Amino acid sequence: MPVIVESDPGTVEALSRALPPGSHAVDGAERLTAWLAHRPDEYAVVIGPGMELSEAIATCESLRLTRPMTSVVLVRKDIDTEVLYRAMQSGCRDVVLTDDANGIRAAVSRAHQLHQAFSGQGSSGPHGQLITVFAPKGGVGKTTTSVNLALALAEGGSRKVCLVDLDLAFGDVAITMQLFPSHTIEEAVGGEESMDAALVESLLTRHEDSLMVLAAPNLPDARDRVTARLVSRMLRTLRQQFDYVVVDTAPSFDEQTLQALDETDECVIIATLDVPTLKNVKVALETLDLLNIAQGHRHLVLNRADEAVGLDHEKVEQILGMPIAVPIPSSTDIAAATNSGKPIVLANPDHPASKAFRQLAVQLAEATGDEHHPALHEAAEGAARGRRMRIRRHGA
Ligand SMILES: Nc1ncnc2c1ncn2[C@@H]1O[C@H](COP(=O)(O)OP(=O)(O)OP(=O)(O)O)[C@@H](O)[C@H]1O
Ligand SMILES: [Mg+2]
């Protein structure tokens, strides 16, 4: 994801709006060097107007030699021939005016295309949506939500969905779906540089025709061998093959989870109605803010939303500073379905929890611009049916 170099928070915010979700900001050349040291795949550096021209030119010159695959986009309040001439000589790929959001967007998109072409990934292939399900606390319903959401997105069979178990030490996606994987993500260890569609495909376990699963390692000690870089390579490769890649995560900001969050298009955050969880979710949201992750692309799921524990939904929204996207009711049917290896959306499609998970799928399809997703049509038909029933009852 592109990195912005700018010290003024207002300008960072304005530039972020023109960039893809997951873009990061640093406040100067030194931080940029530190940031890039861990991101060999970075495709664009956007230098904001806060950096003096001579320093910006020096940064371009240095990146031209050390990172030829990373494009520099120089953003200036004014552009004259001297700026253009110096930028061109330094190897800068684009110069754009600060208030030209479309120009910035287009320049970054060109940088991405160039990087894809250089790295042989091709720019015309499909690019699926990455959805990361996260909560900073254990046992709140991440896996339940990931599994049911992935199934709801795959419903109808017209979308290819892959569910990735990134809870690398204690992942339980496979068991939740009664799968017995012959391969896991562990077998990709060491394949950072040789990752391709064939390798990833050989590690997947089929659940249903339109849902595949990348299972977590069988033993917890494999976690440390699955590097963040490997995770990144895996997710990027999967995105080329699937319409949706849903990622279940560990209950912490470990480096693999952070990598998924860093690249994610949409982030589903799970909270429950208890003060320790809400406190942790609040801190997690602040951390996501600091890292500039999924700003404007977060969906809050309130699990066990109907428990009478002295906290109402309004209070939750007030504490967390964001609206609840979908409340999921508490029900022993959910655990029973999990125990029987048939998640609730399959075991009992008319259950209120199944409807809630499908509602979440609708929201995500809408958020990702997938306006022809079958869940959207189903939701629209359901609403029309409801209206007809009300009219009939009213007329009777
Ligand atoms: N709404 C609900 N009603 C009843 N039981 C639920 C509900 N949501 C989740 N559960 C049950 O709670 C338990 C924990 O859920 P789950 O495994 O999804 O949480 P998790 O956040 O993934 O946990 P971990 O951090 O350990 O991976 C499971 O037994 C699950 O069936
Ligand atoms: Mg889990």
Side-chain angles (χ1 to χ4, degrees):
M1 283 299 140
V3 54
I4 302 164
V5 192
E6 175 57 55
S7 52
D8 173 57
T11 311
V12 167
E13 213 186 307
L15 291 173
S16 300
R17 279 199 293 274
L19 298 181
S23 300
H24 181 77
V26 294
D27 63 5
E30 218 169 280
R31 290 264 167 89
L32 174 68
T33 307
W35 174 259
L36 289 178
H38 301 287
R39 283 164 182 81
D41 275 345
E42 185 56 82
Y43 64 87
V45 171
V46 178
I47 300 184
M51 186 184 268
E52 222 201 274
L53 183 64
S54 52
E55 197 186 355
I57 294 295
T59 306
C60 288
E61 254 154 6
S62 138
L63 289 173
R64 178 168 62 96
L65 299 173
T66 55
R67 306 280 299 236
M69 278 169 67
T70 309
S71 299
V72 180
V73 177
L74 186 61
V75 180
R76 298 284 97 183
K77 287 201 171 102
D78 299 296
I79 300 175
D80 57 22
T81 42
E82 200 221 348
V83 171
L84 283 175
Y85 180 69
R86 291 180 65 186
M88 195 186 74
Q89 284 214 317
S90 69
C92 167
R93 249 186 267 276
D94 260 298
V95 186
V96 194
L97 281 168
T98 312
D99 53 8
D100 183 5
N102 284 337
I104 295 169
R105 206 170 284 126
V108 168
S109 163
R110 279 195 293 275
H112 187 242
Q113 283 170 358
L114 200 61
H115 188 272
Q116 296 275 88
F118 274 145
S119 57
Q121 292 175 35
S123 55
S124 56
H127 190 70
Q129 299 292 329
L130 186 61
I131 300 171
T132 305
V133 178
F134 177 72
K137 205 145 188 300
V140 294
K142 293 181 296 298
T143 303
T144 306
T145 303
S146 309
V147 165
N148 284 288
L149 171 64
L151 286 166
L153 284 168
E155 228 168 51
S158 62
R159 298 292 184 275
K160 286 178 75 188
V161 182
C162 182
L163 175 55
V164 177
D165 194 345
L166 216 51
D167 186 351
L168 295 167
F170 300 107
D172 42 19
V173 166
I175 201 146
T176 301
M177 305 184 91
Q178 224 167 46
L179 292 172
F180 304 95
S182 328
H183 305 281
T184 75
I185 195 170
E186 187 183 354
E187 285 156 68
V189 166
E192 282 89 342
E193 305 312 323
S194 54
M195 182 72 54
D196 63 9
L199 170 64
V200 176
E201 213 164 296
S202 71
L203 303 182
L204 301 179
T205 306
R206 181 179 296 275
H207 179 261
E208 288 185 343
D209 275 350
S210 49
L211 179 62
M212 302 292 269
V213 172
L214 179 56
N218 294 319
L219 295 172
D221 67 335
R223 173 177 49 187
D224 300 333
R225 293 200 294 279
V226 179
T227 61
R229 184 159 162 69
L230 181 66
V231 169
S232 171
R233 289 282 173 170
M234 279 272 180
L235 295 178
R236 285 175 193 198
T237 310
L238 285 169
R239 288 172 76 149
Q240 287 167 11
Q241 293 164 275
F242 289 88
D243 298 308
Y244 291 97
V245 178
V246 177
V247 181
D248 184 22
T249 55
S252 66
F253 279 115
D254 60 27
E255 60 166 332
Q256 298 90 347
T257 299
L258 264 175
Q259 187 64 45
L261 286 167
D262 194 31
E263 300 195 14
T264 205
D265 295 299
E266 306 295 324
C267 180
V268 175
I269 298 146
I270 317 283
T272 49
L273 284 166
D274 60 285
V275 171
T277 299
L278 290 175
K279 185 217 98 192
N280 286 350
V281 171
K282 174 94 185 146
V283 173
L285 287 171
E286 285 165 3
T287 309
L288 294 181
D289 283 345
L290 272 176
L291 299 173
N292 200 16
I293 286 173
Q295 294 271 21
H297 295 267
R298 300 177 193 161
H299 310 263
L300 177 63
V301 167
L302 185 64
N303 193 17
R304 300 176 182 272
D306 51 350
E307 287 181 338
V309 287
L311 270 171
D312 61 24
H313 292 196
E314 237 169 66
K315 189 79 189 159
V316 171
E317 293 183 332
Q318 209 181 321
I319 293 171
L320 299 181
M322 68 183 291
I324 294 167
V326 178
I328 313 273
S330 190
S331 167
T332 50
D333 297 339
I334 296 179
T338 302
N339 289 342
S340 73
K342 203 165 181 193
I344 191 90
V345 293
L346 293 180
N348 187 350
D350 291 326
H351 194 283
S354 303
K355 289 183 181 164
F357 287 123
R358 282 205 297 278
Q359 180 54 33
L360 181 61
V362 166
Q363 293 214 9
L364 286 159
E366 277 174 350
T368 55
D370 185 2
E371 51 201 46
H372 299 298
H373 192 286
L376 261 71
H377 294 291
E378 208 185 290
E381 270 173 30
R385 252 195 320 274
R387 267 198 307 277
R388 281 198 297 275
M389 299 256 288
R390 278 197 298 280
I391 291 167
R392 248 182 257 143
R393 247 186 265 133
H394 197 65

